[in-house]
Amino acid sequence: MYETLGFWKHYIKNNKNVWQGLFKNIPLSKDSLFIQTNIYNGNQMHNSWACYPNVESLMGFIKYVFFPSVIVTWLTREEHDEVIYDVDNPYDLLDMLKDDIKEKYKRDIKDIKAQLDIIDGMKGLSRGDFIKEVTKLSNSFNSRWFTNRTYMVFNVYSSPKELTDDIIRLYKSEGLIDILEEESGLTVYQWREMVGSIYSSKFMKRKFVDILNNKLYTLTI
């Protein structure tokens, strides 16, 4: 189901938000995966957190929603200074755009296709192997698609603890722990306490991602 473009077109057409919050309003579980997406282009920034229930649904989002949005935003960044959201087959989209873009972007198309091939190669992987491979991909992706004016970033986390540890690490490395605590209304101890018992709390299984989207402003991962 999640491996088809038709699902994503239909789902988004019905005004469903796939970029942030709980996908299909499914509470987080130990199988859940988290994704942070950050796209900046000129005068607009997109930054959000979402929780997907399993590997298949997250792979579908990355392939049919995130990558098409990255492709259009990156390849038209000289003509547009905004984030362009799209849902499409990314290979078809690249084929459609390749004759219309400038020669200097030909290398970009080649590199995007290579990264798409890596995503397709993850089909059928176990959850653990998928996390290893998608983490390697995000590291290379985040360093590749970056300029002072435009950049594209995504990060995947396998648990609330892993995600929280990374947030705390980032704020601490910048000397901004006090800002994290002020923005979120939670001390570092309370962050760790929250994620330590999150699976036993019906409330937090639904609200954790909302905290990420609504309470963190200063830094992006």
Side-chain angles (χ1 to χ4, degrees):
M1 175 173 61
Y2 300 127
E3 295 179 357
T4 65
L5 173 61
F7 168 83
W8 295 97
K9 281 186 172 290
H10 177 76
Y11 192 77
I12 293 172
K13 183 178 180 180
N14 289 309
N15 300 314
K16 303 297 184 180
N17 189 348
V18 298
W19 288 90
Q20 68 178 40
L22 298 171
F23 177 64
K24 298 178 74 173
N25 204 33
I26 299 173
L28 69 89
S29 72
K30 292 183 179 180
D31 291 324
S32 298
L33 295 167
F34 300 86
I35 184 167
Q36 184 247 358
T37 52
N38 184 9
I39 305 175
Y40 176 73
N41 188 30
N43 292 322
Q44 183 182 359
M45 174 181 283
H46 160 96
N47 185 51
S48 63
W49 296 86
C51 177
Y52 279 80
N54 50 41
V55 168
E56 293 76 18
S57 57
L58 180 57
M59 281 186 63
F61 167 77
I62 292 172
K63 179 175 179 178
Y64 293 114
V65 182
F66 179 69
F67 257 83
S69 301
V70 163
I71 289 167
V72 178
T73 300
W74 184 268
L75 295 180
T76 65
R77 66 188 186 277
E78 293 186 357
E79 292 78 30
H80 304 282
D81 60 356
E82 60 187 355
V83 177
I84 302 174
Y85 299 96
D86 198 9
V87 52
D88 208 334
N89 182 307
Y91 292 103
D92 293 345
L93 183 60
L94 285 173
D95 287 341
M96 181 181 69
L97 291 173
K98 68 181 181 181
D99 295 329
D100 297 326
I101 65 171
K102 298 177 181 179
E103 182 65 29
K104 65 181 179 179
Y105 291 154
K106 300 297 184 181
R107 170 66 183 275
D108 292 342
I109 288 182
K110 180 180 178 181
D111 288 350
I112 292 172
K113 281 186 174 180
Q115 292 180 331
L116 284 169
D117 290 342
I118 293 174
I119 294 172
D120 278 346
M122 296 181 196
K123 291 178 182 177
L125 291 181
S126 67
R127 185 177 187 274
D129 287 341
F130 170 77
I131 292 167
K132 291 178 183 177
E133 294 303 316
V134 79
T135 299
K136 288 192 290 187
L137 174 61
S138 70
N139 289 338
S140 62
F141 179 97
N142 296 348
S143 61
R144 173 62 178 86
W145 307 108
F146 193 98
T147 70
N148 290 333
R149 184 183 182 278
T150 307
Y151 57 80
M152 321 286 179
V153 171
F154 82 96
N155 295 288
V156 173
Y157 298 92
S158 61
S159 69
K161 181 182 183 304
E162 181 189 21
L163 186 158
T164 298
D165 286 347
D166 213 23
I167 289 174
I168 292 171
R169 174 197 60 77
L170 180 64
Y171 275 79
K172 186 175 182 179
S173 69
E174 298 293 331
L176 296 174
I177 286 294
D178 57 331
I179 299 298
L180 170 63
E181 295 182 338
E182 180 180 344
E183 287 180 347
S184 66
L186 298 168
T187 65
V188 168
Y189 175 80
Q190 288 171 323
W191 272 96
R192 298 195 188 282
E193 187 177 51
M194 175 178 66
V195 300
S197 60
I198 197 166
Y199 296 117
S200 61
S201 170
K202 290 183 179 180
F203 178 79
M204 288 311 305
K205 284 194 291 187
R206 289 193 172 276
K207 294 301 180 183
F208 178 66
V209 183
D210 290 342
I211 293 174
L212 301 176
N213 282 311
N214 299 327
K215 297 293 187 180
L216 301 181
Y217 309 111
T218 300
L219 295 178
T220 56
I221 301 299

